């Protein structure tokens, strides 16, 4: 395979080249793709506006690089092996040829329903092959997909639809999750009541539950594709044409739509997929993420399919119908590469070794983790009991905004250390700065993680609000992309990600803004105000701790019932993933004289570290600190 690094020496060599001649380095890699027209210039950039363009004036279609580029060699190879939520339902296998035809057919369907290049399409689907088909069909005709995780509430979905002015929504009647199933179309119906931009809804039949189909607006997927051809001409896209929008939480306000464009994202996701996982033809790769997150976009759909890999896709949850389900799937499909989140490992580790024992797991070659720091204990468990001490673990650090993996070992090549993402991938130039923005050089330093040079899949903007992109990522430290993460570089130059340094919490690998959760809680009619902080959680990594001040006349309500009722509100506004793990009612929040909530104190209480709360005498209301401490059990 082209551009494959095979040794540690090779890595250092490639890394050096990527820093001394980034344009030459990426041009060589881009050469291996299929272009309708080559680029005029490799890179234009400044981090002040910011403005970043890769492969300037190149023309291509990303789906031609998945299909046409590979069909000669592996038309009959499996592209997707799908495993149902229900172990008794047959797996589905789609070869590259079959996937190609389904993508073409659905692309034609979208065109028939008025979708044109540049239109935004929302995808709100369970983990079924049609999710990949829908994304690729958009890419084929130049429509911009905005996939929304199917666990988000109607209100969250409506916000995302309106922000991007979505024309058409693709959903399913319902979704299975473990022993339960729930309606998706009904959530879409509720959402689009608030969205005048939506003209059509295409509905995949999955659970068979009854849904209310509105004439002229709603169409069943199976009806819509019926008379469509399986031949479709790919739209000619510019390198910098938008490929997708993906919403993600930040420290302020509503989630923002991170924008990725075509060529740079394509080159980078395939390159990192091949090198980090050291994937070889014939290997079976499984990433357990949901396509609703960036991990699903880059490493279930684009990266592996661009590389011509075979990808396992799983609809269900790790604990249904039993807690050995992941391991059963690995044996069943002879998975060689398994990529999951530390939170899943910790959750399964908690069931002990019994659920692992019945499985051989001897097909495995490489293990990966993503989404949050992995603690040494979980790392060792994964390494010993799943990888049988013979599979390298790639702890991959990256973000929605980075599009692809940034700091990560290359499997079997980079010596690993538990809890370390190790070394930057070729093309990635990290810089550690202190709070004043001064670079901390040399090894054995700790500070804020920035990147000083663009890589091909860096975000280009936040949809509809470029200034927000500049402010969030490019204004904290002049001339640098700021990640929001704290990091430590050790004596060997290895990077260890310490977690967010902003008001973002990482719950089970999902990113949530504290302000976003507070806004949701505050929608409860009996809530006066609230403050949300993260706290260490054994399984989730971080849990959500909410300090809530009720309206005066609500203080007599039963606290248990109030908690349930606040949870229901959060469920409704964001979704179950944002439900607080702990809610503590108090009469006031500790505030400075200028009225700012002292989160530092609340964070300490939430962490259970109350011995030294620092100076509280400058507070407007120091007495509430005692009250809160007491209520929290100290
Ligand atoms: C944040 C990005 C990357 C896809 C999934 C999450 C944290 C991510 C690691 C890792 C420590 C990690 C960071 C980052 N994070 N991977 N290997 N070790 N922390 O994407 O939702 O955009 O979240 O996840 O804090 O900033 P995301």
């Amino acid at each position: 395979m082209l551009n494959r690094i095979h040794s540690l020496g090779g890595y250092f060599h490639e890394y050096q080249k990527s820093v001394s001649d980034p344009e030459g380095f990426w041009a060589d890699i881009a050469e291996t793709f299929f272009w309708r027209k080559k680029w005029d210039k490799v890179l234009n950039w400044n981090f002040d506006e910011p403005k970043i363009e890769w492969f300037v004036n190149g023309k291509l279609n990303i789906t031609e690089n998945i299909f046409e580029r590979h069909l000669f060699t592996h038309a009959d190879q499996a592209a997707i092996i799908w495993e149902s939520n229900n172990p008794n339902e047959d797996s589905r296998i789609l070869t590259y040829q079959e996937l190609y035809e389904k993508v073409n057919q659905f692309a034609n369907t979208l065109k028939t329903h008025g979708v044109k290049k540049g239109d935004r399409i929302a995808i709100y689907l369970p983990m079924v092959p049609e999710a990949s088909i829908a994304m690729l069909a958009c890419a084929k005709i130049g429509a911009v997909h905005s996939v929304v995780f199917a666990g988000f509430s109607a209100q969250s979905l409506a916000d995302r639809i309106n922000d991007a002015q979505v024309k058409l929504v693709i959903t399913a009647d319902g979704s299975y999750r473990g022993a339960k199933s729930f309606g998706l179309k009904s959530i879409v119906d509720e959402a689009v009541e608030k969205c005048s931009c939506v003209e059509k809804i295409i509905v995949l039949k999955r659970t068979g539950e009854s849904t209310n189909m509105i004439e002229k607006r709603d169409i069943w997927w199976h009806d819509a594709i019926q008379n469509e051809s399986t031949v479709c001409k790919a739209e000619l896209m510019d390198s910098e044409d938008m490929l997708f929008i993906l919403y993600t939480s930040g420290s302020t306000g509503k989630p923002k739509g991170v924008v990725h464009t075509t060529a740079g994202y394509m080159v980078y996701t395939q390159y990192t997929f091949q090198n980090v996982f050291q994937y070889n033809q014939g290997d079976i790769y499984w990433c357990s993420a949901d396509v609703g997150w960036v991990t699903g976009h880059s490493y279930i759909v684009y990266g592996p399919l661009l590389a011509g890999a075979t990808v396992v896709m799983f609809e269900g949850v790790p604990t249904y119908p039993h807690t050995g389900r992941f391991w059963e799937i690995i044996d069943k499909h002879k998975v060689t590469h398994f990529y999951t989140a530390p939170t899943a490992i910790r959750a399964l580790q908690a069931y002990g070794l019994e659920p692992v024992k019945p499985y051989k797991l001897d097909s495995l070659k490489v293990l990966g983790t993503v989404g949050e720091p992995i603690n040494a204990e979980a790392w060792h468990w994964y390494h010993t009991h799943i990888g049988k001490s013979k599979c390298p673990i790639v702890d991959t650090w990256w973000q929605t905004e980075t599009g692809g993996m940034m700091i990560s070992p290359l499997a079997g090549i980079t010596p690993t250390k538990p809890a370390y993402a190790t070394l930057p991938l070729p093309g990635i130039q990290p810089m550690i700065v202190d709070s004043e923005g001064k670079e901390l050089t040399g090894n054995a330093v700790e500070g804020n993680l920035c990147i000083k040079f663009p890589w091909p899949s860096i975000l280009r903007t936040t949809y509809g609000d470029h200034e927000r992109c500049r402010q969030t990522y490019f204004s904290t430290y002049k001339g640098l992309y700021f990640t929001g993460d704290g990091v430590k570089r050790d004596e060997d130059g290895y990077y260890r990600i310490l977690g967010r340094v902003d008001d973002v919490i990482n719950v089970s690998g999902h990113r949530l803004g504290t302000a976003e959760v507070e806004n949701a809680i505050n929608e409860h009619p009996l809530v006066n105000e609230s403050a949300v902080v993260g706290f260490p959680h054994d399984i989730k990594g971080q849990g959500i701790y909410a300090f809530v001040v009720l309206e005066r006349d609500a203080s007599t309500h039963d606290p248990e019932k109030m908690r349930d009722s606040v949870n229901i509100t959060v469920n409704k506004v964001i979704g179950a993933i944002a439900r607080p793990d702990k809610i503590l009612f108090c009469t006031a929040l500790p505030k400075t004289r200028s009225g700012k909530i002292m989160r530092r104190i609340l964070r300490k209480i939430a962490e259970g570290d109350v011995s030294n709360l620092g100076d509280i005498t400058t507070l407007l209301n120091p007495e509430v600190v005692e009250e809160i401490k007491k209520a929290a059990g100290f």
Side-chain angles (χ1 to χ4, degrees):
M1 213 176 275
L2 291 161
N3 303 307
R4 253 294 271 287
I5 297 169
H6 296 284
S7 65
L8 194 56
Y11 160 74
F12 286 119
H13 179 265
E14 289 299 296
Y15 187 80
Q16 215 37 57
K17 188 169 136 197
S18 78
V19 173
S20 58
D21 177 20
E23 297 196 24
F25 175 82
W26 288 113
D28 284 350
I29 294 166
E31 287 284 348
T32 64
F33 288 79
F34 175 55
W35 299 83
R36 289 286 175 176
K37 177 188 165 290
K38 281 270 168 67
W39 56 90
D40 299 332
K41 190 163 185 285
V42 178
L43 172 65
N44 278 330
W45 73 287
N46 76 69
F47 274 177
D48 298 323
E49 294 176 55
K51 187 176 171 81
I52 303 141
E53 297 173 328
W54 280 93
F55 311 111
V56 184
N57 289 331
K59 304 285 176 211
L60 72 161
N61 188 289
I62 195 168
T63 68
E64 290 189 328
N65 281 278
I66 293 176
F67 297 112
E68 280 82 347
R69 189 165 59 130
H70 294 308
L71 283 177
F72 291 118
T73 48
H74 45 253
D76 298 328
Q77 182 202 311
I80 299 176
I81 300 176
W82 175 79
E83 175 71 22
S84 164
N85 177 66
N86 174 359
N88 299 320
E89 182 177 350
D90 286 342
S91 305
R92 282 171 68 187
I93 297 178
L94 294 177
T95 64
Y96 271 85
Q97 181 69 35
E98 287 163 341
L99 182 62
Y100 175 60
E101 290 175 10
K102 285 187 189 297
V103 167
N104 287 344
Q105 192 178 39
F106 197 65
N108 285 326
T109 307
L110 292 174
K111 284 206 263 187
T112 297
H113 291 283
V115 178
K116 299 203 170 58
K117 179 177 176 181
D119 286 345
R120 275 81 55 214
I121 306 298
I123 299 177
Y124 189 71
L125 281 172
M127 282 290 288
V128 289
E130 283 74 11
S132 306
I133 293 167
M135 290 164 76
L136 296 172
C138 289
K140 178 123 203 179
I141 62 170
V144 177
H145 57 71
S146 166
V147 183
V148 180
F149 172 59
F152 278 119
S153 67
Q155 189 167 324
S156 291
L157 176 60
D159 288 345
R160 286 158 172 76
I161 288 174
N162 281 328
D163 188 75
Q165 287 294 295
V166 162
K167 188 169 182 181
L168 183 146
V169 181
I170 303 165
T171 189
D173 49 357
S175 168
Y176 293 115
R177 245 186 119 63
K180 294 188 219 131
S181 79
F182 54 90
L184 286 184
K185 170 62 166 41
S186 54
I187 297 173
V188 174
D189 285 341
E190 190 186 330
V192 299
E193 270 174 32
K194 304 189 190 98
C195 311
S196 54
C197 50
V198 172
E199 292 167 15
K200 298 245 161 114
I201 304 174
I202 299 184
V203 189
L204 180 78
K205 198 175 218 110
R206 175 62 190 129
T207 58
E209 57 202 87
S210 70
T211 72
N212 177 28
M213 299 292 280
I214 294 178
E215 215 181 321
K216 295 216 168 77
R217 188 195 71 176
D218 303 350
I219 324 122
W220 286 107
W221 177 301
H222 56 266
D223 290 335
I225 62 170
Q226 221 169 38
N227 298 317
E228 298 292 349
S229 156
T230 55
V231 178
C232 176
K233 196 164 171 288
E235 187 73 33
L236 193 66
M237 303 296 282
D238 185 87
S239 291
E240 285 300 332
D241 275 340
M242 221 184 285
L243 177 63
F244 67 83
I245 307 171
L246 184 57
Y247 286 83
T248 190
S249 298
S251 46
T252 52
K254 290 207 162 160
K256 45 190 173 291
V258 168
V259 170
H260 284 290
T261 56
T262 303
Y265 178 84
M266 169 184 81
V267 168
Y268 196 74
T269 52
Q270 182 189 323
Y271 178 77
T272 50
F273 173 78
Q274 286 178 185
N275 279 294
V276 168
F277 289 115
Q278 294 286 305
Y279 180 91
N280 290 308
Q281 283 309 313
D283 286 342
I284 310 282
Y285 163 86
W286 176 23
C287 166
S288 75
D290 191 284
V291 289
W293 311 111
V294 74
T295 308
H297 283 60
S298 302
Y299 299 109
I300 293 178
V301 182
Y302 290 107
L305 295 180
L306 282 160
T310 296
V311 184
V312 172
M313 185 179 202
F314 176 43
E315 182 185 33
V317 296
T319 50
Y320 177 82
H322 56 80
T323 53
R325 187 75 196 277
F326 268 11
W327 324 129
E328 182 179 73
I329 294 172
I330 289 173
D331 275 8
K332 176 174 174 189
H333 296 295
K334 307 221 165 358
V335 171
T336 55
H337 292 64
F338 179 54
Y339 190 32
T340 195
T343 191
I345 298 166
R346 289 190 297 263
L348 294 173
Q349 182 185 2
Y351 294 104
L353 288 175
E354 280 310 307
V356 186
K357 276 191 189 145
Y359 307 103
K360 294 221 263 314
L361 303 176
D362 57 351
S363 54
L364 284 172
K365 295 193 225 172
V366 175
L367 299 174
T369 67
V370 60
E372 49 178 325
I374 179 162
N375 48 311
E377 199 198 339
W379 193 97
H380 285 294
W381 189 84
Y382 196 34
H383 187 253
T384 311
H385 300 295
I386 305 306
K388 311 293 181 197
S389 305
K390 66 175 176 52
C391 301
I393 295 180
V394 290
D395 174 353
T396 64
W397 172 82
W398 57 294
Q399 310 178 293
T400 304
E401 295 85 346
T402 69
M405 303 162 180
M406 301 286 283
I407 302 181
S408 169
L410 305 181
I413 292 174
T414 315
T416 57
K417 264 188 220 181
Y420 282 78
T422 75
L423 299 170
L425 295 176
I428 305 308
Q429 302 187 35
M431 190 197 239
I432 304 182
V433 300
D434 66 14
S435 48
E436 269 77 59
K438 200 171 110 305
E439 179 170 10
L440 302 173
T441 53
N443 290 343
V445 291
E446 193 177 312
N448 297 329
L449 178 58
C450 296
I451 316 285
K452 62 179 171 199
F453 195 86
W455 60 98
S457 66
I458 184 174
L459 87 159
R460 301 304 198 261
T461 189
T462 46
Y463 192 81
D465 192 351
H466 193 63
E467 174 55 16
R468 192 165 174 207
C469 171
R470 191 191 66 78
Q471 274 232 295
T472 312
Y473 308 104
F474 299 93
S475 73
T476 317
Y477 304 111
K478 199 176 158 25
L480 301 175
Y481 167 80
F482 177 43
T483 64
D485 279 317
V487 70
K488 176 184 148 176
R489 188 166 51 213
D490 76 359
E491 304 70 33
D492 301 324
Y494 269 37
Y495 290 82
R496 176 178 187 160
I497 308 299
L498 303 171
R500 304 289 306 196
V501 294
D502 52 7
D503 286 322
V504 168
I505 42 187
N506 189 327
V507 183
S508 303
H510 300 148
R511 211 160 121 178
L512 289 164
T514 53
E516 195 188 345
V517 182
E518 288 163 8
N519 290 341
I521 294 173
N522 297 349
E523 291 218 0
H524 192 289
L526 295 179
V527 169
N528 178 288
E529 62 172 341
S530 63
V532 164
V533 297
F535 72 98
H537 188 289
D538 284 348
I539 306 280
K540 297 178 171 186
Q542 277 190 300
I544 303 176
Y545 203 128
F547 297 87
V548 177
V549 180
L550 294 174
E551 294 290 358
R552 204 174 286 249
D553 52 353
S555 50
T556 52
H557 286 60
D558 172 32
E560 267 320 302
K561 288 208 178 103
M562 274 308 300
R563 268 190 202 99
D564 290 346
S565 151
V566 167
N567 275 328
I568 290 169
T569 303
V570 174
N571 243 340
K572 219 172 128 65
V573 179
I574 305 178
I577 52 171
R579 222 161 34 197
D581 298 275
K582 289 187 186 166
I583 297 177
L584 188 142
F585 295 111
C586 43
T587 54
L589 298 170
K591 287 189 181 167
T592 62
R593 287 181 203 281
S594 57
K596 241 185 106 196
I597 299 171
M598 286 289 274
R599 284 167 195 285
R600 182 178 53 79
I601 293 173
L602 296 177
R603 227 174 270 134
K604 286 223 159 197
I605 295 173
E607 285 165 6
D609 174 19
V610 293
S611 55
N612 179 17
L613 291 180
D615 184 13
I616 60 167
T617 55
T618 57
L619 287 182
L620 186 69
N621 49 359
E623 69 287 350
V624 303
V625 175
E626 266 319 303
E627 179 209 311
I628 294 176
K629 262 168 70 180
K630 235 201 197 138
F634 298 103

